[in-house]
Amino acid sequence: MTKLRLAIVGAGPAGIYAADILLKTERSFDVSIDLFEQLPAPYGLVRYGVAPDHPRIKGVINALRDVLDRGDIRIFGNVRFGEDITLADLKKHYNAVIFATGAIRDTTLDIPGVDAEGSFGAADFVSWFDGHPDVPRDWTLDAESVAVLGNGNVALDVARILAKHAEDLLPTEIPDNVHAGLEASKVTDVHVFGRRGPAQVKFTPLELRELGELRDVDMVVYDEDFDYDEASKAAVASNKQVKVIDRVLQQWRTRPGANNAGGEASRRLHLHFWSRPLEIKKDADGRVAAIVYERTQPDGSGGVQGTGEMREVAIGQLYRAIGYFGSPLKDVPFDKKHGVIPNHEGQVLAKDSNERVPGVYATGWIKRGPVGLIGHTKSDAMETVQHLVNDQGSWWHPEDPSEEAIPELLASRNVAWTDLDGWHRLDQHEIALGAPHDRARIKVVARDEMVRISRD
């Protein structure tokens, strides 16, 4: 019987789902799967891209853990593709590879002043508060008024963490350095700007409700944003999710802090709809000083158009949460415009000719862009895996497909890789750190310490 030796690059939900689906797929051959992950721990954006006060979403980890703990998938963590292992190496030892590397960079925003000191991409801030090992440990929150651009879930995550009191995050897995940074925060006002109206937002009702539950934080919405056009009224009437979002926002309009009327909370979270950023003003030292935006209105065809009315809000920091963007991989085709690996239903295509690249596949955000929730990666992976199974005739013919080849290769290159047993050790260590403080866990942040604990 033929055996498929498969490499999957990326041990987040997309990569783990792809491995699980392949192992459960009806096929006429055996399968052996190795997962490669650049971080010492698995789970990707579930561990490093979801806010620590989201235990329900982080429950996805339990399902991913069940897949890995079956013992039929090997993990090689702390291994960087393109450096520690290359595409040529994979061709030598596997029949095919699936890239599931996600999207971790911020989409660029081309407006004057966006390069000011104190202007940040949301991805960097999320990585910091999630304890990502490859970002600085410190984050200075020395401005009283800050802005967040975007109307998706990431924007609300960033706004919520900025507005929330640090002690209210202690029951979570927040790292100690992050708690210290948030405890020293001077933020009192968080302004969230979105180009469209309340009926066109991209966040989910769950994310929105959580904002309204923050202790000692007034929710500030503005009556002028709720003069709905016919399209918005139709969206509220026909879409259950939009209806729930509208209901929540309408309730907030009745709260004491609405319309910036002066509630009693020590912090305020302002939601500005119909607001298109035009410029970030700088002070004499080149720091963020204010945001200039234009009021927008529906254009009658589902989009927005400017009204010509300009407004300005004084801020000291800016966080751009307008979308993630994929990163190129060495020797792998890449679409610079869309931030994805060019592909047809997961079958990777050559950049110039659009011809299939045998043996190379993609799934998740690096395949389709950073859209959809974590659950969408399952159907995404099914499509890719089905092509992989049907493409048996074009698989690579590895010169050394033995199970021992990869550990020997990594050892010869002095790569301190981590495995599943190592993740279990790190997992238990973090839980033990949190136990005396009645916390879910305390994340280990430093990469070398993660590796040391994992490798015992």
Side-chain angles (χ1 to χ4, degrees), residues 286-300:
R287 290 184 54 86
V288 170
I291 179 171
V292 178
Y293 65 97
E294 180 183 18
R295 287 285 293 175
T296 60
Q297 62 185 11
D299 64 2

Side-chain angles (χ1 to χ4, degrees), residues 177-204:
N177 67 297
V178 176
H179 175 258
L182 294 173
E183 196 170 37
S185 171
K186 295 182 180 179
V187 174
T188 60
D189 288 81
V190 180
H191 297 267
V192 182
F193 294 91
R195 293 184 304 115
R196 302 176 188 274
Q200 289 80 37
V201 294
K202 298 298 183 182
F203 45 71
T204 57

Side-chain angles (χ1 to χ4, degrees), residues 8-22 33 35-37 39 41-50 57-68 73 75 98-104 362-366 368 371-382 384-385:
I8 298 178
V9 179
I16 294 174
Y17 284 147
D20 185 43
I21 289 168
L22 175 59
I33 300 175
L35 274 172
F36 293 91
E37 170 58 50
L39 296 170
Y43 308 140
L45 280 180
V46 182
R47 179 174 165 94
Y48 290 114
V50 177
I57 295 180
K58 282 188 175 289
V60 174
I61 284 182
N62 293 330
L64 300 177
R65 179 184 288 116
D66 290 343
V67 174
L68 296 182
I73 303 168
I75 298 180
I98 297 177
F99 288 100
T101 51
I104 58 173
T363 191
W365 282 3
I366 198 64
R368 57 185 162 84
V371 292
L373 302 175
I374 291 172
H376 290 108
T377 57
K378 282 189 176 180
S379 55
D380 201 37
M382 286 181 184
T384 296
V385 165

Side-chain angles (χ1 to χ4, degrees), residues 303-339:
V304 297
Q305 59 188 10
T307 64
E309 179 186 352
M310 307 299 177
R311 296 184 183 178
E312 182 174 319
V313 174
I315 57 171
Q317 285 188 335
L318 174 78
Y319 294 84
R320 307 180 304 276
I322 56 173
Y324 286 134
F325 203 76
S327 300
L329 298 160
K330 187 176 181 181
D331 299 325
V332 180
F334 187 70
D335 181 342
K336 293 181 180 179
K337 181 179 180 181
H338 300 100

Side-chain angles (χ1 to χ4, degrees), residues 227-423:
D227 185 14
Y228 288 164
D229 66 340
E230 292 305 314
S232 294
K233 292 177 183 177
V236 172
S238 62
N239 186 299
K240 183 178 180 180
Q241 180 165 298
V242 176
K243 185 180 296 184
V244 173
I245 288 172
D246 177 65
R247 185 184 308 135
V248 172
L249 292 172
Q250 297 293 350
Q251 289 171 352
W252 291 354
R253 294 178 68 186
T254 66
R255 289 189 179 186
N259 289 292
N260 215 16
E264 297 181 355
S266 67
R267 297 181 179 183
R268 288 153 297 280
L269 204 161
H270 310 250
L271 296 182
H272 302 271
F273 299 103
W274 305 112
S275 302
R276 177 165 56 200
L278 293 182
E279 179 186 359
I280 308 303
K281 287 190 173 181
K282 304 177 184 180
D283 64 15
D285 298 320
R287 290 184 54 86
V288 170
I291 179 171
V292 178
Y293 65 97
E294 180 183 18
R295 287 285 293 175
T296 60
Q297 62 185 11
D299 64 2
S301 59
V304 297
Q305 59 188 10
T307 64
E309 179 186 352
M310 307 299 177
R311 296 184 183 178
E312 182 174 319
V313 174
I315 57 171
Q317 285 188 335
L318 174 78
Y319 294 84
R320 307 180 304 276
I322 56 173
Y324 286 134
F325 203 76
S327 300
L329 298 160
K330 187 176 181 181
D331 299 325
V332 180
F334 187 70
D335 181 342
K336 293 181 180 179
K337 181 179 180 181
H338 300 100
V340 298
I341 295 174
N343 70 92
H344 171 70
E345 298 180 348
Q347 297 170 305
V348 172
L349 305 175
K351 182 180 177 182
D352 300 324
S353 66
N354 274 346
E355 293 183 1
R356 274 190 49 211
V357 180
V360 184
Y361 299 83
T363 191
W365 282 3
I366 198 64
K367 167 187 174 182
R368 57 185 162 84
V371 292
L373 302 175
I374 291 172
H376 290 108
T377 57
K378 282 189 176 180
S379 55
D380 201 37
M382 286 181 184
E383 180 180 69
T384 296
V385 165
Q386 196 56 58
H387 279 298
L388 170 65
V389 171
N390 294 336
D391 290 345
Q392 186 173 346
S394 61
W395 291 349
W396 298 330
H397 300 285
E399 114 185 23
D400 181 6
S402 67
E403 301 279 338
E404 302 79 20
I406 295 302
E408 291 174 357
L409 175 66
L410 295 176
S412 72
R413 293 176 178 173
N414 296 316
V415 178
W417 78 89
T418 60
D419 57 16
L420 185 58
D421 288 338
W423 160 239

